[in-house]
Amino acid sequence: MALFALLASFFVVAGLDFAARAATTERIVVNRYSGLAIGGFDPVAYFTESMALPGLPDFEARGGGAVWRFRNEGNRASFVAHPEIYGPQFGGYDPVDLGRGVTYAGNPRLFAVVGQRLYLFGREENRDAFAAEPARYLKEATTRWPVLEQGLAQ
């Protein structure tokens, strides 16, 4: 019984330590347990394949307090060279909600590439509204993002 309690306490402490290390940022949407940005999807594949494709553990890079996964070494190299282009804008937060003054994490499966930039959305309705009027929503999100970003942990 004492051995069971000892093992249980070890896993609780180890789990808390891992969670603390994984949740290093809120300025980029990151899974607090795994540390993966945008759910482990390859951010470059949105541009090259026009689809949300999962990255592989063999091709990872760290940046901005997050672990990014890629489908191949070429995608990884492209991202490392230009994270500002391939990374989701607004840290992966939904730009429509940002325009309303709310930080809501985007879903990597709900995306749009507009003006050679990647945007993630929390709801299909937001993605559809954004697609119909990207300039309007980008203006609103860009105006509010600096203040909202300051409120997020670094």
Side-chain angles (χ1 to χ4, degrees):
M1 185 66 138
L3 179 61
F4 177 77
L6 179 63
L7 285 174
S9 65
F10 170 78
F11 286 113
V12 167
V13 170
L16 290 174
D17 180 51
F18 177 75
R21 282 185 283 123
T24 58
T25 183
E26 288 182 4
R27 293 190 177 175
I28 297 174
V29 176
V30 174
N31 179 295
R32 69 177 1 179
Y33 300 106
S34 69
L36 291 174
I38 64 173
F41 283 82
D42 180 341
V44 178
Y46 292 101
F47 296 87
T48 60
E49 306 292 327
S50 300
M51 18 182 0
L53 297 172
L56 304 171
D58 293 341
F59 304 105
E60 289 185 346
R62 295 188 182 276
V67 176
W68 301 86
R69 285 196 175 162
F70 307 91
R71 299 199 49 80
N72 55 54
E73 182 56 36
N75 284 8
R76 185 180 119 25
S78 294
F79 180 86
V80 169
H82 300 286
E84 74 284 357
I85 292 174
Y86 295 110
Q89 299 303 292
F90 308 114
Y93 289 96
D94 185 323
V96 175
D97 285 327
L98 289 176
R100 294 182 189 125
V102 178
T103 52
Y104 190 83
N107 179 334
R109 289 184 171 88
L110 299 174
F111 71 95
V113 175
V114 174
Q116 294 300 310
R117 295 295 187 263
L118 173 63
Y119 300 94
L120 304 179
F121 303 90
R123 295 183 303 250
E124 286 184 48
E125 308 85 68
N126 286 5
R127 180 188 59 196
D128 296 344
F130 182 88
E133 295 182 84
R136 171 188 161 205
Y137 289 105
L138 285 175
K139 180 180 179 189
E140 293 170 359
T142 301
T143 300
R144 292 189 182 230
W145 176 240
V147 172
L148 292 170
E149 184 181 29
Q150 291 301 314
L152 298 172
Q154 191 166 347

